[in-house]
Amino acid sequence: MTPREIGEFGLQVSGASESVGEVLILKTVATILSEWGGAVTRVRINAMGDKDSRVRFARELSSYLRRQAHNLPPEWRERAAEDPMAFYVCTEEACLAVAEQAPRAMNFLSEKSRAHFREMLEHLEHLGLPYELDDTLVGDDREPRVTFAIDTAEDATVVGTLGGRYDDHVRRLTGRKEATNVHASLYFRKKGLAPGSFQLEGPGARPRIYFVQLGLRAKLKSLAVSDILREARIPVLQSFDSSKLSPQLQAATAAGVSHLIIMGQREALDGTVIVRAADNSAQTTLGLTQLPRYLKTLY
């Protein structure tokens, strides 16, 4: 396909240093694909880790490629010598054969990066998002800490998704030491799409409910709750950049909502939520299956 036949749009999660950032992006992309009827064939993931992790991996990869230079096509010997990561762009059989025995970036992760990646994979399994590890997802100039790709069937509207965690890249651009960012680009076919396929709908009723999550477990569980509410066409406001109560209550107050949905660790384990009135703090505890019907009585 030519660039004129492919369109692109992106998604970003900023301010989430925990692995919930990657999980939220992947869950959102999976939801978009399901809405468009796209058949996901593979979810591929790799981890490059922090700066120290990448330096160790690049050093080992460079040494390996020097030893394997005689097995590479002539033009790729020079490119690999200048930029070892560029080697993974090569799709020739000789390159693929060398890549099979190449060092794996995941084996050079620092303890902190390893813990982050392990936690992310555990959350994906909990959410039921299947994945496979792919050592060839390297070479991005933005030096992502985690990379992922979602492959779709040939006849799907979205032909593929690429993304990752770009904390270090964003920090270089902004000069902020604590900046965090997870990004995904979705590439779709333009041919056959109606002119208004990507036109935003007019604004509907302003959400009157704010969803508060307390702790990582509740954040992850809230993704499933958001699916339930989306299918019931109940709009809610929520944010994933804080696990504490106070900032979320302040955001809810600023938004002028009438009710709060609150999920803490206990509720996440029990499969329940607390619905609280903003004006008098009257509250009730509900099971997730009861939630949509109850919320509709509030409108």
Side-chain angles (χ1 to χ4, degrees):
M1 288 187 182
T2 65
R4 290 185 177 182
E5 297 176 304
I6 296 295
E8 175 188 355
F9 69 89
L11 304 171
Q12 293 193 68
V13 174
S14 299
S17 59
E18 300 172 318
S19 58
V20 69
E22 290 95 325
V23 175
L24 177 58
I25 280 281
L26 288 167
K27 174 63 175 175
T28 302
V29 171
T31 300
I32 291 173
L33 294 177
S34 67
E35 290 287 329
W36 279 354
V40 177
T41 56
R42 291 191 304 174
V43 178
R44 298 177 286 125
I45 299 175
N46 192 23
M48 301 294 293
D50 54 22
K51 182 178 179 180
D52 290 340
S53 303
R54 292 193 299 270
V55 167
R56 287 195 295 269
F57 169 63
R59 185 186 302 120
E60 188 64 25
L61 178 62
S62 178
S63 176
Y64 171 78
L65 292 178
R66 286 197 299 271
R67 297 194 301 270
Q68 294 293 325
H70 61 285
N71 291 323
L72 295 174
E75 65 274 20
W76 282 100
R77 294 174 191 167
E78 294 184 9
R79 290 192 62 179
E82 295 175 0
D83 181 7
M85 301 297 184
F87 156 75
Y88 285 96
V89 178
C90 178
T91 57
E92 296 183 32
E93 290 188 6
C95 293
L96 296 178
V98 172
E100 287 185 1
Q101 301 300 320
R104 305 179 67 196
M106 286 177 283
N107 291 339
F108 296 88
L109 296 178
S110 65
E111 187 57 39
K112 184 176 181 180
S113 296
R114 189 182 305 278
H116 180 97
F117 191 53
R118 182 171 57 247
E119 183 181 74
M120 186 192 83
L121 297 182
E122 290 173 353
H123 296 328
L124 291 178
E125 291 176 356
H126 180 72
L127 289 175
L129 288 176
Y131 65 86
E132 62 183 61
L133 302 180
D134 186 351
D135 299 327
T136 66
L137 288 177
V138 300
D140 191 322
D141 292 339
R142 294 169 293 179
E143 298 181 341
R145 296 190 176 201
V146 173
T147 57
F148 54 79
I150 300 179
D151 303 328
T152 54
E154 292 185 1
D155 58 347
T157 300
V158 178
V159 297
T161 301
L162 296 173
R165 175 173 285 278
Y166 300 99
D167 294 357
D168 301 310
H169 176 68
V170 172
R171 289 168 185 172
R172 286 194 296 270
L173 289 178
T174 63
R176 296 170 55 193
K177 293 183 178 181
E178 301 302 324
T180 62
N181 179 272
V182 184
H183 175 82
S185 291
L186 285 79
Y187 302 93
F188 60 91
R189 303 173 190 272
K190 295 180 181 178
K191 187 176 181 180
L193 291 177
S197 294
F198 297 97
Q199 183 176 353
L200 293 176
E201 297 181 1
R206 182 178 180 84
R208 297 171 55 190
I209 301 170
Y210 195 100
F211 193 170
V212 175
Q213 323 100 32
L214 306 176
L216 183 57
R217 184 185 296 273
K219 282 186 180 182
L220 295 168
K221 186 69 174 181
S222 74
L223 296 176
V225 180
S226 296
D227 270 346
I228 294 173
L229 299 179
R230 179 177 54 82
E231 292 172 2
R233 305 186 68 81
I234 299 175
V236 297
L237 296 171
Q238 64 186 128
S239 174
F240 289 86
D241 62 357
S242 177
S243 294
K244 298 180 179 179
L245 179 62
S246 180
Q248 296 181 75
L249 290 181
Q250 292 175 4
T253 300
V257 298
S258 63
H259 287 78
L260 305 173
I261 299 174
I262 302 174
M263 174 177 278
Q265 181 170 325
R266 179 175 179 178
E267 289 76 25
L269 290 171
D270 294 342
T272 61
V273 294
I274 297 171
V275 179
R276 177 187 296 174
D279 57 355
N280 60 14
S281 297
Q283 64 184 42
T284 184
T285 300
L286 298 167
L288 299 184
T289 57
Q290 303 169 290
L291 184 60
R293 180 180 299 179
Y294 181 82
L295 293 180
K296 287 181 177 181
T297 67
L298 304 177
Y299 283 89

